[in-house]
């Protein structure tokens, strides 16, 4: 009798899991249909072409149209010289070769903002401006409410000769496939407040929330794209999750408030710094990745919690309710 009950209990459980899975998939499919039908228009305004292919006498008109791109402290002569600067024209040529059309980028950005509008209906669709900016990889995108600026010369592909001399860990994200992830980063900054207390756990949950938000608004992107890794780097993180967590617990880092920990585990870098032999194998930002897994664990264990509640929840509460325990 006990064997009969157990057999049927597990069979019922299995069917319940299948039913929940199919219900979830149907809900996701239904949401995606609504999202894909959301009216969003994205057209990249090619300021780079307009500026460098205009005559010098058109500078006043350009300044009137794009006042935010012409700081008043600079005389018009600066802009006139820049128009015909050899390096600027070379960069423009490289951008033209890489992006003869903007269709792919516009489609990617459109899909991102369709998802953003679905989850954050009050969001305004920004005007999108493409320009060249001396390969300033620290400012690849700028997003402010109704304006999105993209430095097209920072998305030419990591193997572009222009990027020689730039560290590999930075260069690997200088590719168009990472563009929407970078925009989503900037959007997340407007929705998730950084912690006042910079303890290790608070920083983990802060970055984890940002990456979890990407799960929601960039559902078709891989984990590697979302965090800025290569596939082998994301695989290393998953394969070593248990050991990373054990190290943090063993070293009692969770509640430490030490600025050096941010550089070791959260900032972009060639590798994370455990001060062990595994350092050279590890990717940078491993603390961000681990915080992501904690937030995902919370979501899995608290499926009825709304997205906005997750994003605003205190790190301590989220961590305690996440029941996070890596098994790998």
């Amino acid at each position: 009798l006990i064997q009969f009950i157990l057999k049927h209990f597990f069979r019922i459980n299995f069917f319940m899991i299948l039913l929940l899975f199919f219900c979830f998939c149907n809900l996701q499919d239904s949401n995606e249909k609504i999202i894909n039908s959301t009216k969003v228009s994205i057209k990249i305004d090619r300021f780079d072409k307009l500026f460098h292919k205009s005559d010098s006498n058109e500078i006043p008109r350009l300044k009137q149209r794009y006042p935010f791109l012409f700081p008043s402290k600079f005389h018009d002569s600066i802009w006139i010289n820049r128009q015909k600067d050899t390096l600027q024209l070379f960069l423009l040529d490289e951008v033209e070769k890489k992006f003869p059309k903007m269709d792919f980028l516009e489609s990617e950005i459109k899909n991102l903002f369709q998802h953003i509008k679905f989850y954050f209906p009050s969001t305004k669709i920004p005007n999108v401006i493409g320009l060249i900016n001396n390969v300033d990889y620290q400012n690849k995108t700028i997003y402010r409410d109704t304006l999105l600026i993209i430095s097209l010369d920072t998305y030419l592909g990591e193997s572009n000769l222009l990027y020689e001399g730039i560290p590999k860990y930075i260069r690997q994200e200088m590719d168009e496939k990472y563009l929407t992830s970078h925009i989503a980063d900037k959007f997340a900054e407007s929705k998730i407040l950084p912690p006042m207390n910079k303890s290790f756990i608070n920083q983990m949950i802060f970055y984890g929330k940002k990456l979890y938000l990407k799960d929601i608004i960039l559902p078709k992107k891989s984990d590697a794209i979302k965090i800025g890794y290569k596939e082998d780097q994301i695989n290393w993180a998953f394969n070593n999750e248990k050991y990373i967590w054990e190290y943090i617990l063993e070293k009692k880092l969770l509640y430490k408030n030490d600025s050096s920990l941010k550089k070791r585990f959260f900032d972009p870098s060639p590798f994370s710094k455990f001060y062990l032999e595994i350092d050279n194998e590890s990717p940078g930002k491993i603390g961000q990745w681990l915080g992501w897994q904690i937030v995902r664990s919370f979501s899995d264990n608290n499926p009825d919690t709304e997205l906005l509640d997750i994003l605003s929840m205190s790190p301590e509460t989220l961590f305690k309710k996440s029941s996070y325990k890596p098994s790998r």
Side-chain angles (χ1 to χ4, degrees):
L1 179 61
I2 293 174
Q3 287 181 337
F4 176 83
I5 292 172
L6 287 174
K7 178 181 178 181
H8 285 274
F9 172 78
F10 288 118
R11 181 179 295 172
I12 292 169
N13 268 2
F14 175 73
F15 283 118
M16 285 297 293
I17 291 169
L18 276 180
L19 180 62
L20 289 171
F21 174 76
F22 284 119
C23 286
F24 175 76
C25 288
N26 287 335
L27 177 61
Q28 289 292 94
D29 289 342
S30 175
N31 285 347
E32 282 300 309
K33 286 179 181 178
I34 296 171
I35 289 167
N36 290 331
S37 65
T38 302
K39 289 185 178 181
V40 168
S41 179
I42 296 293
K43 183 71 176 175
I44 297 177
D45 185 0
R46 291 293 303 277
F47 173 80
D48 55 329
K49 290 174 66 174
L50 187 61
F51 178 75
H52 289 288
K53 294 186 177 182
S54 295
D55 293 328
S56 58
N57 59 11
E58 294 187 60
I59 291 291
R61 182 178 62 85
L62 292 173
K63 288 173 68 176
Q64 188 174 16
R65 181 175 172 184
Y66 303 96
F68 45 86
L69 295 178
F70 292 90
S72 58
K73 63 181 179 179
F74 295 115
H75 191 271
D76 283 1
S77 60
I78 298 294
W79 308 118
I80 293 171
N81 290 334
R82 188 182 178 91
Q83 275 184 314
K84 306 306 176 185
D85 181 82
T86 305
L87 175 59
Q88 301 302 311
L89 293 173
F90 177 72
L91 290 174
L92 178 63
D93 186 55
E94 287 296 301
V95 169
E96 288 283 76
K97 285 191 291 187
K98 175 65 179 179
F99 304 112
K101 294 183 178 180
M102 292 283 111
D103 298 9
F104 174 75
L105 296 184
E106 289 171 347
S107 175
E108 289 275 285
I109 298 170
K110 174 183 176 180
N111 188 256
L112 168 61
F113 277 98
Q114 283 177 317
H115 282 81
I116 289 175
K117 283 291 285 185
F118 180 80
Y119 294 101
F120 303 90
S122 63
T123 301
K124 298 174 182 177
I125 304 303
N127 295 318
V128 186
I129 296 176
L131 46 70
I132 55 178
N133 193 29
N134 295 321
V135 195
D136 182 5
Y137 55 78
Q138 293 184 321
N139 293 289
K140 293 192 285 291
T141 62
I142 296 174
Y143 178 35
R144 295 287 186 277
D145 192 28
T146 60
L147 183 64
L148 171 61
I149 297 175
I150 302 169
S151 296
L152 295 170
D153 55 333
T154 61
Y155 290 101
L156 301 177
E158 65 174 313
S159 61
N160 192 289
L161 294 177
L162 278 171
Y163 300 159
E164 283 189 1
I166 297 175
K168 184 179 178 181
Y169 74 95
I170 294 173
R171 198 168 66 236
Q172 72 182 35
E173 286 191 63
M174 297 177 73
D175 189 289
E176 61 187 303
K177 64 186 178 185
Y178 292 100
L179 172 60
T180 49
S181 179
H182 295 157
I183 298 171
D185 260 326
K186 297 300 174 69
F187 176 76
E189 289 173 5
S190 69
K191 299 299 175 184
I192 306 166
L193 294 175
M196 297 294 290
N197 181 319
K198 303 295 184 180
S199 68
F200 195 89
I201 185 65
N202 283 6
Q203 291 193 77
M204 275 206 302
I205 300 304
F206 168 67
Y207 286 111
K209 287 178 180 180
K210 290 178 68 175
L211 287 160
Y212 177 75
L213 180 55
K214 290 187 184 182
D215 286 338
I216 305 301
I217 61 179
L218 289 172
K220 295 180 181 178
K221 296 297 182 184
S222 69
D223 283 2
I225 294 295
K226 292 170 191 169
I227 195 171
Y229 281 174
K230 295 283 194 178
E231 286 299 327
D232 62 322
Q233 292 176 314
I234 204 78
N235 291 337
W236 187 94
F238 277 114
N239 291 335
N240 291 276
E241 182 177 4
K242 182 179 179 182
Y243 306 111
I244 297 167
W245 185 239
E246 287 176 350
Y247 174 89
I248 289 168
L249 295 182
E250 180 185 328
K251 299 296 183 181
K252 300 179 180 178
L253 300 182
L254 277 183
Y255 298 98
K256 278 194 175 181
N257 192 334
D258 182 344
S259 60
S260 68
L261 293 176
K262 186 174 186 297
K263 294 179 181 178
R264 288 173 60 190
F265 298 107
F266 296 98
D267 289 349
S269 60
F271 49 82
S272 295
K273 299 175 180 65
F274 297 92
Y275 303 136
L276 299 171
E277 289 184 8
I278 63 169
D279 279 9
N280 289 333
E281 300 172 18
S282 70
K285 303 183 290 188
I286 205 66
Q288 293 192 29
W289 181 86
L290 196 60
W292 190 9
Q293 308 319 304
I294 293 172
V295 179
R296 280 176 165 177
S297 179
F298 173 88
S299 178
D300 290 342
N301 289 302
N302 302 272
D304 294 329
T305 307
E306 296 289 339
L307 173 61
L308 291 179
D309 292 332
I310 293 176
L311 300 184
S312 62
M313 189 175 295
S314 75
E316 186 73 19
T317 300
L318 190 150
F319 174 58
K320 286 180 178 178
K321 291 185 177 182
S322 70
S323 302
Y324 176 70
K325 187 177 182 181
S327 57
R328 287 183 285 272

